[in-house]
Amino acid sequence: MKILSTVRFLIASVGISLAACHSSVEPQENNWTYAGGETTVFSTGPDAYTLPLANLNKDGLQKHLEADAMFAQQFVTEPAERFGGLGPIFNQNACESCHIRNGKSAVPAYSGDPSSGLLLRLGTESSEELPGFGNQLQTKAVFGFTPEGKISIEEREKIVRFADGMETKIRELQYGIQDSYIPLPASTRISPRMAQAVYGLGLLEAVPEEEILALADENDRNGDGISGRPNWVWDKQQQSIRLGRFGWKAAQPSALQQSAAAAHNDMGLSNPLFPEENCTGQNNCGGDEKMDISNEELELFTFYFQTLGVPAPRNQNSNKVKQGRLLFFEARCNACHVPTLHTGPHPIRELAYQTIHPYTDLLLHDMGEDLADHRPEGKASGREWRTPPLWGIGLTQVVNPQATFLHDGRARTIEEAILWHGGEAEYSKQFYMKLPKSEREKLLAFVESL
């Protein structure tokens, strides 16, 4: 395997020295620090999302380093024998180009910005694909081919007034498509998606399906206004319908398929789960039937983020954080951002049987019209989004100072993200807006401590 040989050479050259309705039970206070159980890592700096599982054994560490080099690799065009197969149309040429230090990306600094990790999912009101474009706008192309278009961005602000009379501004971003290679159908629906952080995904994969389904209340039988329902999606490896748990709408059922879809959609790399080019059937497509990455390489991509550790929360003994935690529960934020889950068996044994604190239920929730994209994905409607984990969120802008929040990056701060909540989360937002400033600061201090 030429690619793996090169990766191993690189590693050898640097030396391997790294040795609602929800009824979740609030963990004991002294357990909060271990967000990832025994896998938890301790860093508060820009490297906080880059450390391997704390309990990973020697062989696992060596494989993690090989995978790290693969994750950082920049792919090029054919006929390069090493790391070839990029495109013919694509968004970025390396995983790290979007997942900055394994964290979130930034929104485009201007219309047509080629360096942003934000992408546009495309479709219609009834389909996950747009005729002539597929399911994702490809903003770059190799020599001889034509990109599908550029992302345009416009910004505006609106004022939000709290119950205590104070005001703040929240930002709204309007995305569009410029210079499309063919006219856009009138039925076009655009769904902007920020690249998400990739640490902790192995632990989330290890949570048994039945534990997640036990949190669902699809028909809101208890009448608390919070439902939460699973997204059932096609598992290409297992050839069956399975629970979706990864991505903004829980559209991918496994870490392996999440890796394969990203390599295919974002870099144009055909692979065992997505063997065709991402532009197949379009008049701007080309390429050959050769697989751009092998199953072994795909598994190496996957192993990297499966074995990234979750950073421990900070300041858990601060009175302000403790009081903020109580407000978090009082506001019923925990109805969707479920504090505690448990992992079951997993092929990577270090991930198995851990008590973790991800602050997610991995379910879909109606988040209201302001956040709706009106594009379905699997069983997810145009108003539904998967509850994103909150673990590590307080380090988001330490890792990448340009990173922002929510699926389209509109929220510059955690407070802005709260103020965009609606739908099933309307009660929590209104609770927050009625708090005096000092109490709002406590709740924010808690979330920022995670």
Side-chain angles (χ1 to χ4, degrees), residues 257-298:
Q257 189 160 316
Q258 175 71 19
S259 296
H264 178 257
N265 291 330
D266 302 348
M267 294 191 283
L269 299 176
S270 57
N271 59 69
L273 295 190
F274 295 87
E276 296 183 332
E277 298 290 353
N278 59 13
C279 50
T280 296
Q282 298 178 196
N283 62 19
N284 62 336
C285 199
D288 53 35
E289 297 181 355
K290 177 184 173 185
M291 204 75 73
D292 296 324
I293 55 175
S294 69
N295 193 57
E296 186 178 9
E297 292 158 351
L298 180 59

Side-chain angles (χ1 to χ4, degrees), residues 232-242 251-253 257:
W232 296 105
V233 299
W234 183 249
D235 187 316
K236 289 176 174 287
Q237 185 184 37
Q238 301 296 325
Q239 291 291 291
S240 62
I241 298 291
R242 287 185 59 202
Q252 301 300 341
Q257 189 160 316

Side-chain angles (χ1 to χ4, degrees), residues 3-141:
I3 293 178
L4 287 180
S5 298
T6 302
V7 171
R8 287 172 181 139
F9 169 77
L10 290 171
I11 290 171
S13 69
V14 299
I16 302 174
S17 57
L18 284 180
C21 52
H22 302 324
S23 57
S24 65
V25 177
E26 187 174 344
Q28 296 299 309
E29 191 167 305
N30 61 1
N31 288 337
W32 285 112
T33 300
Y34 293 91
E38 295 172 0
T39 74
T40 306
V41 298
F42 292 83
S43 173
T44 60
D47 67 343
Y49 301 160
T50 66
L51 304 177
L53 303 177
N55 59 346
L56 200 57
N57 65 27
K58 182 179 178 181
D59 290 343
L61 282 171
Q62 180 168 341
K63 185 175 180 180
H64 178 90
L65 287 173
E66 293 176 2
D68 189 0
M70 189 75 174
F71 198 78
Q73 181 61 49
Q74 293 190 349
F75 282 79
V76 297
T77 59
E78 294 177 340
E81 294 186 6
R82 295 174 179 172
F83 314 117
L86 179 71
I89 56 176
F90 60 101
N91 293 109
Q92 296 291 353
N93 66 346
C95 303
E96 288 191 345
S97 298
C98 296
H99 304 283
I100 308 301
R101 297 190 188 93
N102 300 332
K104 295 182 177 182
S105 58
V107 300
Y110 54 89
S111 294
D113 180 1
S115 62
S116 172
L118 178 134
L119 57 84
L120 297 184
R121 286 287 166 81
L122 303 176
T124 68
E125 198 163 359
S126 59
S127 173
E128 297 179 28
E129 295 202 349
L130 184 66
F133 292 84
N135 67 0
Q136 183 167 311
L137 183 74
Q138 305 294 333
T139 55
K140 298 178 182 177

